[in-house]
Amino acid sequence: MRGYLLMSPTLLVMLAMLVAPIVALVVRSFWTQNVFQIDTTFTLRNYGQIFELSDKITYWMSIPFPFANPVYLILLVKSILMSLAVTAFVMLLAYPMAYFMAFRVRRHKFLWLILITVPIWTSYLLRVFAWKIMLGFNGVINSSLIKIGLIDKPLDFLLYSPSAVMLTLAHAWVAFAILPIYVSLEKIDRSLLEAATDLGDKPWERFWHVTLPLSAPGAIATSLMVFIPTVGDYVTPTLVGGSGGSMIGNNIQILFGRQNDAPLGSAVSVVMMAVITAIVCLFLWAVGYRKIRAREAI
């Protein structure tokens, strides 16, 4: 019982701050909004509104959406694709930096870790506003390109676009991504690398056969840590995305706020969580399946 007593404060906080809100969200998704009052009668009306089929097919990036209200699923697919791009970009930036710190930095590693976390000390909103200033019509990037003669007029696609959202999100998460990958790389037994070298592996072969597989758990955890929260982000798309960079989080915020339709917003949130959970489960299953096949081949 001592163990459960020690865990009880954490469990109570998790139940109150995580489980209870999700249960309330799911329950509310089966209600309906009647002007300023909520009808608590159980109904699937909200989910029917999301998945109602239509004879008219709407296409987005050549993807067919045969729904009467395709905006919800289009924004969800768009958010997933943008988050996948952000995750890939963050991994491409974070892994080399973590590798450099784990295998090349010999002294003052703690100082390097502090320098890596410096951007986290700044408010997230301030960092987003900083990117808004840099990407603006008269921002630092446009002004610099005009001064050096590469362009004649400011580029209007830098701000209020999906690329601006992805760039800002990548910058916001790259510092968080470096640390778990670094820990995973730091735990690798260096004698394994020496053994691979003695067996004739070249540096890239040693990385592919030893370093990358052993650091895979940290890389997988990092990719999920970046992908899951960025799908539902609405602050960054609101500030730097504009109408072209809107994501599913913006739509949910509008349903809860401007449209005063919390039940429909809850239903969209539940659908988003279910889809993300399915994607994560499939990803983990695929990674585990590859590992099993690799062991069988050995």
Side-chain angles (χ1 to χ4, degrees), residues 55-295:
D55 295 334
K56 181 181 178 182
I57 299 178
T58 302
Y59 289 89
W60 180 79
M61 292 185 63
S62 301
I63 303 174
F65 291 87
F67 303 101
N69 300 295
V71 61
Y72 306 113
L73 297 179
I74 288 177
L75 283 176
L76 178 57
V77 173
K78 178 183 178 182
S79 302
I80 291 172
L81 294 178
M82 290 175 64
S83 297
L84 288 174
V86 170
T87 303
F89 189 42
V90 167
M91 294 300 295
L92 289 175
L93 292 175
Y95 198 98
M97 187 63 199
Y99 184 90
F100 173 79
M101 290 175 56
F103 291 100
R104 294 292 181 265
V105 176
R106 303 298 180 185
R107 300 174 57 188
H108 309 300
K109 284 192 175 184
F110 183 70
L111 178 61
W112 278 88
L113 290 174
I114 292 177
L115 293 175
I116 290 297
T117 58
V118 165
I120 307 176
W121 300 356
T122 309
S123 170
Y124 177 72
L125 285 177
L126 290 178
R127 282 180 281 160
V128 175
F129 276 116
W131 276 108
K132 188 174 182 179
I133 294 173
M134 287 190 290
L135 299 174
F137 195 74
N138 295 317
V140 176
I141 296 177
N142 275 321
S143 300
S144 301
L145 293 176
I146 291 175
K147 284 184 178 180
I148 61 179
L150 291 179
I151 58 176
D152 297 328
K153 59 181 180 179
L155 303 174
D156 55 2
F157 64 85
L158 293 179
L159 190 61
Y160 301 127
S161 63
S163 59
V165 176
M166 291 187 287
L167 180 61
T168 306
L169 287 174
H171 173 261
W173 284 96
V174 68
F176 292 97
I178 292 174
L179 298 179
I181 299 176
Y182 165 76
V183 172
S184 182
L185 290 169
E186 188 69 18
K187 290 182 178 180
I188 295 177
D189 189 352
R190 299 304 191 267
S191 62
L192 297 175
L193 302 176
E194 296 175 359
T197 303
D198 294 339
L199 292 174
D201 276 356
K202 297 179 181 178
W204 69 268
E205 292 176 326
R206 185 177 62 186
F207 171 80
W208 184 258
H209 294 145
V210 180
T211 306
L212 187 60
L214 293 179
S215 63
I220 292 171
T222 301
S223 61
L224 294 179
M225 182 185 70
V226 175
F227 171 74
I228 294 174
T230 53
V231 174
D233 192 296
Y234 76 93
V235 175
T236 303
T238 299
L239 295 178
V240 300
S243 59
S246 296
M247 298 175 68
I248 188 66
N250 302 102
N251 183 255
I252 294 173
Q253 190 269 339
I254 290 173
L255 289 173
F256 275 94
R258 278 185 223 165
Q259 297 188 14
N260 191 32
D261 197 345
L264 181 57
S266 301
V268 176
S269 302
V270 171
V271 171
M272 181 190 70
M273 289 190 294
V275 171
I276 294 174
T277 302
I279 292 174
V280 170
C281 291
L282 286 173
F283 173 71
L284 294 176
W285 174 82
V287 172
Y289 180 73
R290 292 195 190 96
K291 287 184 177 181
I292 293 174
R293 291 298 297 272
R295 290 173 185 173

